[in-house]
């Protein structure tokens, strides 16, 4: 069990995606807004080491933001194109 304590997993949450030219990205400054191809209250993807493992919803309480897991992705499901 001690060896499991030394395993690190990177967890990411994908709120949405977009495509834009690198030139536009380089012109953006602090406070710039990038519109994502998603709508409010849409489920987000939860990734472990860049592999989709679950879906969830964003929860905001005061100044804290969290993700509530709504479903776990089975290994039989095809990976989404993120």
């Amino acid at each position: 069990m001690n060896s499991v304590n030394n395993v690190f997993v990177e967890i990411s949450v994908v709120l949405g995606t977009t495509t834009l030219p690198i030139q536009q990205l380089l012109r953006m400054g602090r406070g710039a807004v990038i519109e994502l191809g998603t709508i409010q209250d849409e489920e987000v993807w939860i990734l472990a080491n860049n592999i989709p493992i679950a879906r969830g919803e964003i929860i905001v309480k005061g100044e804290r933001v969290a993700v509530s897991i709504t479903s776990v992705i089975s290994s039989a499901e095809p990976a989404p194109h993120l």
Side-chain angles (χ1 to χ4, degrees):
M1 189 68 167
N2 193 19
S3 62
V4 173
N5 292 333
N6 295 324
V7 175
F8 292 91
V9 178
E10 179 181 313
I11 301 295
S12 306
V13 176
V14 179
L15 302 174
T17 60
T18 193
T19 303
L20 59 127
I22 190 72
Q23 188 175 25
Q24 183 180 349
L25 181 64
L26 293 172
R27 285 192 306 238
M28 290 183 168
R30 185 181 185 126
V33 175
I34 299 174
E35 290 189 31
L36 303 175
T38 189
I39 58 174
Q40 185 177 349
D41 298 328
E42 187 173 330
E43 283 190 312
V44 296
W45 286 102
I46 302 166
L47 313 177
N49 293 337
N50 289 324
I51 298 173
I53 60 164
R55 298 291 308 249
E57 61 185 12
I58 302 295
I59 307 292
V60 179
K61 287 189 176 185
E63 293 185 21
R64 303 198 91 180
V65 178
V67 177
S68 174
I69 295 174
T70 56
S71 64
V72 176
I73 307 298
S74 75
S75 59
E77 281 185 64
H81 177 64
L82 300 176

